Amino acid sequence: MDIKGFTYGWDSKRGACLKEEAFKSQDLLFDTGINWMCFAFSIHQEKFSSTEIYFDYRNSLTDKEIIHTINRAHQRGIKVCLKPVINLRDGVWRALINFPDEDMWGEDKYWDTWFEYYTAFLCHYAEIAADTGCEMFCVGCEMCGTERKEKHWRNTIQEVKKIYTGPLVYNANHGREMEVSWFDAIDYIGTSAYYKVGKKPGDSKENMVTEWEKVAKRLKEVSEYFKKPVIFMEIGVRSAKGCAMMPWDFNHTEFERSEDEQGNFYDSCLEVFSGEAWFKGIFWWDWSTCIYDTMEEAKQDTGFNIHLKKAEEIMKNWYLKL
C-alpha cells in the first residue's frame, strides 16, 4: 500500500492555515506516520443549478496559505495530493449539481457554461499543484450529477493535463465507481469509501472484516475493468456507537461515544486492503487545522477526529509496518 495518508484542512476558512494552531495541528498529523497528505478545501457556487463559480474573498483560502501548507508538508517529506472541491453555498450536496442535457434548440449551453467555469477553477489550482511539486491532483469529488457528461469531463481533464503533468485522480462516491466511464483518462480510481460495514451498534472487527471483504471483491472488479488502481480518497467514521452502519454521518450527535467502534472500522479496513496489489492506499477523513491536544478534550469528542483515540494508535501501528 503506497499511500499511507490522511486528509487535512477541510472546511478551513481564509487565514486558518497560517495560524500557529494550524502549524501545531499539521505537525501532530505528520507525527502519526503518514507519508501522504490530501489537502482538501472548497470553493462555492450558489446552488445546484448555478452555472457560475466565484472565489469568495471573505472566506476562501488564499493561494498563499495553500502554497505554505503544501510546502510545510514537503519539508517533512510528506507527499501531497491537492484536492480543490466545489461546494454549494445553500448546503445542498455537490452530487446534486445538474442541468438539462439540452435546451429547446438542442444546445447544451448550461453544461457548457458550468464546465467552462469548472475547468478554469481546476486549472488555477492545477497550476499551484504544478508549481509546488504536488505529487497528485484531484479533479473532482462526489460530483454524481455531472459524471454522465463524458465529453465535457474529457475536455476538462485534457486542459488540466496541459498544466499539471503528474498523476490525476477523481473521487467518486461509494458504490458509483462503475458509473464514471472516463476513468481511463486519469491515473487512479478514487472513491469515498463510506461503506456500511457495521451490522449493529458496537459491531466487532471480525464482522466488519467480513463486510470489507465483500467490498474488496467488487472494487477489484472495478480496478480490473478500468485497468487502474484504486485509492480511498475519503474514508472514516465518527467515534460513536452505530456509525459504522452509516460512516458518512455527522448529524447524529446524540449517539453514544465509542472509540472501539471507530477503532474496529480502521483496523478491519486496513487488514483487508493493505495487502491488495490493485489497491494503492487511503486518505482518512479528516484532520482539522485546529485539533484538540489533550486527553480530556479527546474524551468529549465524537467526531471523525482520531487524535488521542484508539484509532490513532491502530493507524500508526499499521502505517509503521506497511
Side-chain angles (χ1 to χ4, degrees):
M1 195 174 86
D2 298 334
I3 298 171
K4 299 181 285 187
F6 220 101
T7 299
Y8 173 80
W10 180 248
D11 208 26
S12 296
K13 298 296 185 291
R14 185 184 182 96
C17 293
L18 295 178
K19 295 180 178 179
E20 285 299 324
E21 63 186 17
F23 303 156
K24 181 178 181 179
S25 178
Q26 200 175 20
D27 288 338
L28 288 170
L29 173 59
F30 297 155
D31 290 341
T32 62
I34 65 168
N35 63 356
W36 277 81
M37 178 185 78
C38 180
F39 185 21
F41 56 93
S42 63
I43 301 295
H44 290 78
Q45 62 183 60
E46 286 298 323
K47 52 188 178 181
F48 79 94
S49 58
S50 300
T51 57
E52 300 173 346
I53 300 166
Y54 290 112
F55 187 87
D56 183 351
Y57 289 94
R58 301 164 301 172
N59 296 304
S60 301
L61 297 186
T62 65
D63 291 354
K64 178 181 178 180
E65 57 190 313
I66 291 170
I67 292 167
H68 191 272
T69 301
I70 294 167
N71 289 342
R72 284 194 95 250
H74 283 158
Q75 288 163 9
R76 286 287 299 268
I78 307 297
K79 295 179 180 180
V80 178
C81 174
L82 194 63
K83 183 181 178 181
V85 177
I86 291 298
N87 260 358
L88 307 185
R89 199 175 303 282
D90 62 5
V92 173
W93 185 25
R94 75 189 76 88
L96 300 177
I97 294 172
N98 213 335
F99 308 98
D101 285 327
E102 59 182 38
D103 61 17
M104 292 175 61
W105 297 272
E107 296 179 353
D108 216 4
K109 63 181 181 181
Y110 292 105
W111 282 113
D112 289 346
T113 302
W114 185 84
F115 268 100
E116 182 180 351
Y117 273 89
Y118 187 72
T119 301
F121 153 77
L122 279 186
C123 285
H124 174 81
Y125 292 106
E127 189 172 71
I128 291 177
D131 289 348
T132 56
C134 285
E135 289 79 4
M136 189 185 300
F137 186 73
C138 184
V139 297
C141 176
E142 300 170 353
M143 305 188 73
C144 308
T146 75
E147 290 165 358
R148 72 181 186 277
K149 306 302 292 183
E150 181 174 352
K151 181 180 178 181
H152 287 84
W153 269 108
R154 289 186 183 278
N155 289 339
T156 292
I157 290 166
Q158 187 176 27
E159 291 302 309
V160 170
K161 285 182 175 181
K162 292 177 182 178
I163 298 168
Y164 177 80
T165 59
L168 299 178
V169 62
Y170 173 74
N171 184 167
N173 197 35
H174 63 285
R176 287 189 53 87
E177 296 87 2
M178 286 297 292
E179 304 300 317
V180 186
S181 59
W182 38 270
F183 260 135
D184 63 283
I186 56 179
D187 302 282
Y188 292 105
I189 297 166
T191 188
S192 291
Y194 298 111
Y195 285 96
K196 299 184 285 186
V197 297
K199 293 295 185 181
K200 59 183 179 181
D203 213 346
S204 66
K205 173 190 169 183
E206 291 72 24
N207 288 343
M208 293 186 195
V209 164
T210 299
E211 295 304 311
W212 278 125
E213 287 172 343
K214 298 175 185 177
V215 174
K217 181 181 179 181
R218 194 185 70 80
L219 289 180
K220 182 180 181 182
E221 293 173 354
V222 174
S223 177
E224 290 173 345
Y225 178 83
F226 287 109
K227 297 180 175 59
K228 303 286 181 179
V230 174
I231 298 173
F232 287 170
M233 286 302 295
E234 289 186 21
I235 178 176
V237 69
R238 291 170 46 224
S239 51
K241 190 169 287 188
C243 281
M245 301 167 67
M246 44 179 179
W248 59 84
D249 176 73
F250 57 88
N251 287 319
H252 289 84
T253 56
E254 75 278 9
F255 285 0
E256 178 185 348
R257 187 176 181 277
S258 176
E259 288 189 29
D260 289 335
E261 185 163 335
Q262 186 184 48
N264 289 342
F265 186 92
Y266 270 66
D267 207 5
S268 59
C269 176
L270 286 161
E271 180 172 314
V272 171
F273 288 95
S274 60
E276 296 288 349
W278 51 269
F279 183 75
K280 290 304 177 185
I282 293 176
F283 290 111
W284 295 100
W285 187 267
D286 68 321
W287 196 284
S288 171
T289 53
C290 182
I291 197 76
Y292 52 79
D293 59 0
T294 68
M295 191 63 71
E296 289 73 21
E297 290 172 298
K299 288 179 178 178
Q300 300 300 315
D301 184 77
T302 59
F304 285 90
N305 312 294
I306 65 167
H307 185 45
L308 300 177
K309 298 177 185 177
K310 290 182 179 180
E312 184 176 37
E313 289 305 312
I314 289 168
M315 188 192 75
K316 282 182 179 179
N317 290 336
W318 272 105
Y319 280 4
L320 184 64
K321 64 184 179 182
L322 290 176

